[in-house]
Amino acid sequence: QVQLVEEGGGSVQAGGSLRLSCAASGSIFSPNAMGWYRQAPGKQRELVAVITNYGRTNYLESVKGRFTISRDNAKNMVYLQMNSLKPEDTAVYYCNIGRLLWAPGEYWGQGIQVTVSS
Protein backbone atom coordinates (compact mmCIF):
# COMPACT_ATOMS: atom_id res chain seq x y z
CA GLN A 1 0.00 0.00 0.00
CA VAL A 2 1.07 3.54 -0.76
CA GLN A 3 -0.30 6.59 1.01
CA LEU A 4 -0.38 10.01 -0.66
CA VAL A 5 -0.96 13.22 1.27
CA GLU A 6 -1.46 16.50 -0.57
CA GLU A 7 -0.90 20.02 0.65
CA GLY A 8 -1.34 23.45 -0.86
CA GLY A 9 -4.20 24.58 -3.01
CA GLY A 10 -6.78 27.18 -2.10
CA SER A 11 -8.32 30.17 -3.82
CA VAL A 12 -6.56 32.69 -6.03
CA GLN A 13 -7.44 35.27 -8.61
CA ALA A 14 -6.75 34.72 -12.28
CA GLY A 15 -3.10 35.27 -13.09
CA GLY A 16 -2.01 34.18 -9.65
CA SER A 17 0.11 31.25 -8.54
CA LEU A 18 -0.26 28.24 -6.27
CA ARG A 19 1.98 25.36 -5.35
CA LEU A 20 0.81 21.85 -4.58
CA SER A 21 2.88 19.24 -2.83
CA CYS A 22 2.34 15.54 -2.30
CA ALA A 23 4.15 13.21 0.06
CA ALA A 24 4.24 9.48 -0.63
CA SER A 25 4.81 6.86 2.04
CA GLY A 26 4.46 3.13 2.49
CA SER A 27 5.50 0.47 -0.02
CA ILE A 28 6.73 2.75 -2.78
CA PHE A 29 7.73 0.85 -5.89
CA SER A 30 10.35 1.83 -8.42
CA PRO A 31 10.44 2.85 -11.13
CA ASN A 32 7.35 4.96 -10.75
CA ALA A 33 5.52 7.98 -12.11
CA MET A 34 4.08 10.49 -9.68
CA GLY A 35 1.84 13.26 -10.73
CA TRP A 36 -1.33 15.26 -10.65
CA TYR A 37 -4.75 14.74 -12.09
CA ARG A 38 -7.73 17.05 -11.76
CA GLN A 39 -11.48 16.84 -11.94
CA ALA A 40 -13.79 19.78 -12.44
CA PRO A 41 -17.52 19.54 -11.70
CA GLY A 42 -19.32 17.61 -14.41
CA LYS A 43 -16.10 16.64 -16.15
CA GLN A 44 -13.92 13.57 -16.28
CA ARG A 45 -10.70 13.37 -14.36
CA GLU A 46 -7.75 14.38 -16.54
CA LEU A 47 -3.99 14.15 -16.37
CA VAL A 48 -2.36 17.47 -15.54
CA ALA A 49 1.32 16.61 -15.13
CA VAL A 50 3.29 13.48 -14.36
CA ILE A 51 6.98 12.89 -13.72
CA THR A 52 8.97 9.68 -13.46
CA ASN A 53 11.71 9.13 -10.92
CA TYR A 54 14.11 9.50 -13.84
CA GLY A 55 12.76 12.98 -14.62
CA ARG A 56 10.65 12.34 -17.70
CA THR A 57 7.51 14.46 -17.78
CA ASN A 58 4.12 14.57 -19.42
CA TYR A 59 1.86 17.64 -19.35
CA LEU A 60 -1.67 18.45 -20.32
CA GLU A 61 -1.39 20.67 -23.38
CA SER A 62 -3.34 23.53 -21.83
CA VAL A 63 -0.97 23.86 -18.86
CA LYS A 64 2.31 23.73 -20.74
CA GLY A 65 4.35 26.85 -20.06
CA ARG A 66 2.29 27.67 -16.96
CA PHE A 67 2.66 24.62 -14.71
CA THR A 68 5.88 22.92 -13.68
CA ILE A 69 6.10 19.52 -12.05
CA SER A 70 9.11 18.48 -10.02
CA ARG A 71 10.01 15.84 -7.49
CA ASP A 72 12.42 15.02 -4.72
CA ASN A 73 13.16 11.31 -4.94
CA ALA A 74 14.97 11.22 -1.60
CA LYS A 75 11.87 12.58 0.16
CA ASN A 76 9.29 10.84 -2.05
CA MET A 77 7.71 14.20 -2.75
CA VAL A 78 6.18 15.65 -5.90
CA TYR A 79 5.34 19.30 -6.47
CA LEU A 80 3.22 21.24 -8.91
CA GLN A 81 4.00 24.91 -9.37
CA MET A 82 1.04 26.57 -11.05
CA ASN A 83 1.50 30.04 -12.51
CA SER A 84 -0.74 32.26 -14.62
CA LEU A 85 -3.75 30.42 -13.29
CA LYS A 86 -7.02 30.64 -15.20
CA PRO A 87 -10.61 30.09 -14.05
CA GLU A 88 -10.68 26.91 -16.15
CA ASP A 89 -7.97 25.49 -13.89
CA THR A 90 -10.53 25.32 -11.09
CA ALA A 91 -10.87 21.71 -10.01
CA VAL A 92 -10.07 19.18 -7.35
CA TYR A 93 -6.47 18.12 -7.86
CA TYR A 94 -5.42 14.59 -7.00
CA CYS A 95 -1.95 13.21 -6.46
CA ASN A 96 -1.31 9.81 -7.99
CA ILE A 97 1.48 7.26 -8.19
CA GLY A 98 1.73 4.61 -10.85
CA ARG A 99 4.09 3.19 -13.44
CA LEU A 100 3.08 5.06 -16.58
CA LEU A 101 3.53 8.64 -17.77
CA TRP A 102 0.19 8.61 -19.57
CA ALA A 103 -2.17 6.75 -17.25
CA PRO A 104 -2.80 6.78 -13.50
CA GLY A 105 -1.85 4.08 -11.05
CA GLU A 106 -4.12 2.67 -8.38
CA TYR A 107 -3.08 4.96 -5.54
CA TRP A 108 -4.68 8.36 -5.07
CA GLY A 109 -4.47 11.18 -2.60
CA GLN A 110 -7.59 12.58 -0.99
CA GLY A 111 -7.80 15.51 -3.39
CA ILE A 112 -7.33 19.20 -2.84
CA GLN A 113 -9.43 22.09 -4.10
CA VAL A 114 -7.99 24.76 -6.38
CA THR A 115 -10.30 27.66 -7.16
CA VAL A 116 -9.37 30.43 -9.59
CA SER A 117 -11.66 33.43 -9.77
CA SER A 118 -11.87 35.85 -12.66
Side-chain angles (χ1 to χ4, degrees):
Q1 291 287 335
V2 178
Q3 293 77 44
L4 301 170
V5 178
E6 301 127 334
E7 289 187 350
S11 297
V12 66
Q13 289 191 327
S17 299
L18 286 173
R19 187 183 192 230
L20 305 181
S21 63
C22 174
S25 61
S27 302
I28 300 169
F29 45 88
S30 183
N32 61 65
M34 289 184 71
W36 299 90
Y37 291 72
R38 69 186 183 188
Q39 188 166 19
K43 295 187 176 181
Q44 288 190 332
R45 193 171 297 189
E46 63 181 355
L47 182 153
V48 178
V50 178
I51 184 169
T52 71
N53 49 344
Y54 298 116
R56 288 186 64 195
T57 59
N58 183 23
Y59 287 93
L60 179 68
E61 190 65 33
S62 63
V63 308
K64 287 181 180 178
R66 301 188 297 120
F67 292 10
T68 302
I69 191 168
S70 60
R71 64 185 288 168
D72 184 331
N73 290 331
K75 296 181 179 179
N76 294 313
M77 298 281 296
V78 66
Y79 308 94
L80 186 67
Q81 178 65 43
M82 303 184 292
N83 298 329
S84 301
L85 282 159
K86 303 176 180 180
E88 51 264 42
D89 296 317
T90 296
V92 177
Y93 284 69
Y94 296 90
C95 183
N96 179 270
I97 186 169
R99 297 192 181 274
L100 303 174
L101 266 179
W102 56 87
E106 64 179 300
Y107 299 106
W108 294 92
Q110 77 278 9
I112 194 162
Q113 179 70 44
V114 171
T115 302
V116 185
S117 58
S118 57

